[in-house]
Amino acid sequence: MRQAASDTAPAPVRRPKDRKARIALAGAELFCERGYHGVSVDEIAAAVGISGPAVYRHFPNKYAILVHATREVVGALLAATGQPAASNADGLLDELLRALAEVAVSRRRVAGLYQWEGRYLTPEHRQEFAASMATLVGRVAAPLRELRPELTAAQADLLVNAALSAFGSVTTYRAAATGADTEHLLTRVAWTLLRTDAPTVPLRRRTAPEDTPATGPVRPASRRELLLIEAMRLFHRHGYHAVAVEDIGRAAGMQASSVYRYFPGKADLLAAAYYRATDRLTGATTAAIAEASDPADALHRVVRAYVDFAFGQSDLVAVYLAENNNLPDRDRHQLRGAQRLHVEEWVGLVRAVRPDLPAADARVLVHAALNVVTDVGRLGRFDRTAGYDDQTARLALAVLHA
């Protein structure tokens, strides 16, 4: 007897209800791993197991995926802190910090969007993101000011941002950092920061540093040096992919053809800046250790050297931290190795001062301290006024002793 067609036809494949969320998650992970411009829609589709055209049923373009993914990251933080049960300020803060630590660790592969890839958002979406983050900061700052009424609103916000930076540091490195132990350690770091003497937040100048030429009134004598300075300034402001060789040449006062006499291409400019940053940081760290009287003094000097480096060359540091995905493969592997060696130098010093601290915990603390320096420095526009750099160093040292 002949079977009916309905008996032999395959069951229709149902589209998962959460496919849009899966696409956004895959996009966020790839953006954090390889940079926004280093990822295509087809690669996002392949990570989800669908075709490229299927992505467009949910998102009109790659940028829409970035916007959705960024909203998801902030939305998770707001959801985790939206309905705390504690009634007193101390219990409320503890509950909020533990919730933030859990989100940071569980979403470490995508949380980095808040730090670097957000610069690819349009002004409208950037303002939306900033408003959401301000809401989050306000939720933590309110009970903090109850516990510490001597803090100004700006100081409370800065300490909360420092704590958020410590949580966000788990997104900046590849070593394993999962589970309750890491959450507890990050919560302890956040508490330490919130209890630390708050820096005096510099007043914003009428012309922000990032709006002024990096070269200042005195131009470097070397044209190669001038090209490096202007390239770092432009890469920092607009992102590597948005800057052309012509833009760099124009900023340096020369034709694009002249740029190629010093650097074969834009990637070589970026690599030269990374090698320069690595060499300078290695030299400063080595000198700091050589001048120290004991491990505690060495740790203090190394932190101070890093703060001086970050505050003195903020464009270079920002590019150094944000653009490594755009380096040529050979240079990227070599420079990441140098970055790991720098971190391990700090880890060794931390463990020399705190011999009972496990190496894995020391590594978490070091990454948190490094992140706090760059994030707190950026909040204060890397302004040395009123000893802001000294106070930033104090926050980093507090993290390492948490």
Side-chain angles (χ1 to χ4, degrees):
M1 182 175 174
R2 197 173 189 178
Q3 285 186 310
S6 58
D7 293 336
T8 59
V13 178
R14 295 185 179 276
R15 187 181 304 162
K17 292 183 179 180
D18 65 343
R19 177 165 285 176
K20 183 172 185 176
R22 291 185 186 183
I23 294 170
L25 177 61
E29 291 178 350
L30 288 171
F31 295 153
C32 289
E33 180 184 343
R34 286 155 45 192
Y36 174 70
H37 287 288
V39 177
S40 69
V41 169
D42 285 341
E43 288 170 321
I44 296 172
V48 181
I50 59 177
S51 66
V55 172
Y56 294 108
R57 297 194 189 106
H58 303 276
F59 297 98
N61 49 43
K62 185 174 73 169
Y63 177 75
I65 299 175
L66 175 64
V67 172
H68 187 90
T70 307
R71 286 172 175 164
E72 286 283 299
V73 170
V74 182
L77 294 169
L78 292 173
T81 58
Q83 296 180 318
S87 56
N88 64 317
D90 191 74
L92 179 56
L93 262 180
D94 194 61
E95 189 175 340
L96 291 172
L97 295 180
R98 290 179 185 278
L100 290 169
E102 182 180 0
V103 173
V105 172
S106 65
R107 294 182 176 241
R108 65 172 303 209
R109 294 184 64 186
V110 299
L113 285 177
Y114 94 93
Q115 195 167 27
W116 299 116
E117 301 310 316
R119 67 193 154 145
Y120 297 119
L121 297 173
T122 64
E124 174 191 359
H125 290 130
R126 203 176 299 129
Q127 289 175 6
E128 175 191 325
F129 174 76
S132 297
M133 289 301 295
T135 299
L136 178 65
V137 169
R139 287 179 181 176
V140 183
L144 174 61
R145 292 192 73 193
E146 280 189 51
L147 285 180
R148 301 187 60 186
E150 79 280 5
L151 295 177
T152 66
Q155 287 176 318
D157 286 355
L158 190 145
L159 289 179
V160 172
N161 274 289
L164 292 176
S165 177
F167 290 136
S169 67
V170 296
T171 71
T172 63
Y173 57 97
R174 297 170 182 271
T178 58
D181 289 345
T182 302
E183 292 174 21
H184 293 157
L185 180 56
L186 289 173
T187 302
R188 192 171 80 211
V189 170
W191 264 117
T192 298
L193 287 165
L194 295 185
R195 290 174 175 139
T196 303
D197 290 340
T200 302
V201 186
L203 295 174
R204 290 199 172 192
R205 290 171 284 182
R206 183 168 297 178
T207 302
E210 59 260 34
D211 296 329
T212 60
T215 53
V218 180
R219 293 167 72 86
S222 164
R223 297 188 111 193
R224 188 178 190 278
E225 179 74 12
L226 179 60
L227 285 169
L228 276 172
I229 290 174
E230 292 298 345
M232 292 310 99
R233 183 174 67 86
L234 292 172
F235 292 160
H236 180 198
R237 305 300 176 258
H238 310 295
Y240 174 81
H241 286 276
V243 177
V245 170
E246 290 78 8
D247 299 324
I248 298 169
R250 190 180 307 112
M254 62 182 76
Q255 297 294 324
S257 57
S258 298
V259 177
Y260 294 110
R261 292 158 65 184
Y262 300 93
F263 298 96
K266 189 172 70 166
D268 300 282
L269 262 166
L270 182 64
Y274 266 77
Y275 284 113
R276 165 167 295 187
T278 299
D279 289 345
R280 290 182 176 177
L281 194 52
T282 300
T285 301
T286 301
I289 294 173
E291 295 166 1
S293 58
D294 55 45
D297 183 39
L299 186 60
H300 184 277
R301 287 175 181 269
V302 164
V303 170
R304 181 70 239 194
Y306 185 74
V307 170
D308 287 342
F309 177 69
F311 275 66
Q313 303 180 69
S314 56
D315 282 340
L316 181 58
V317 171
V319 173
Y320 181 76
L321 295 172
E323 299 289 0
N324 63 79
N325 289 316
N326 296 307
L327 289 165
D329 287 343
R330 182 192 63 188
D331 297 307
R332 182 169 61 252
H333 295 315
Q334 183 174 342
L335 287 161
R336 279 181 176 169
Q339 288 174 334
R340 284 192 293 271
L341 288 175
H342 179 244
V343 168
E344 290 308 310
E345 193 80 66
W346 282 46
V347 169
L349 289 173
V350 171
R351 297 195 71 208
V353 175
R354 305 178 60 185
D356 294 334
L357 188 70
D361 287 0
R363 204 163 286 114
V364 170
L365 295 181
V366 167
H367 282 286
L370 292 168
N371 219 42
V372 165
V373 169
T374 51
D375 282 350
V376 170
R378 188 164 55 241
L379 286 171
R381 305 296 182 94
F382 294 99
D383 190 342
R384 295 179 186 270
T385 302
Y388 188 69
D389 50 344
D390 295 329
Q391 297 170 78
T392 301
R394 189 180 66 242
L395 288 176
L397 283 166
V399 170
L400 297 176
H401 288 91

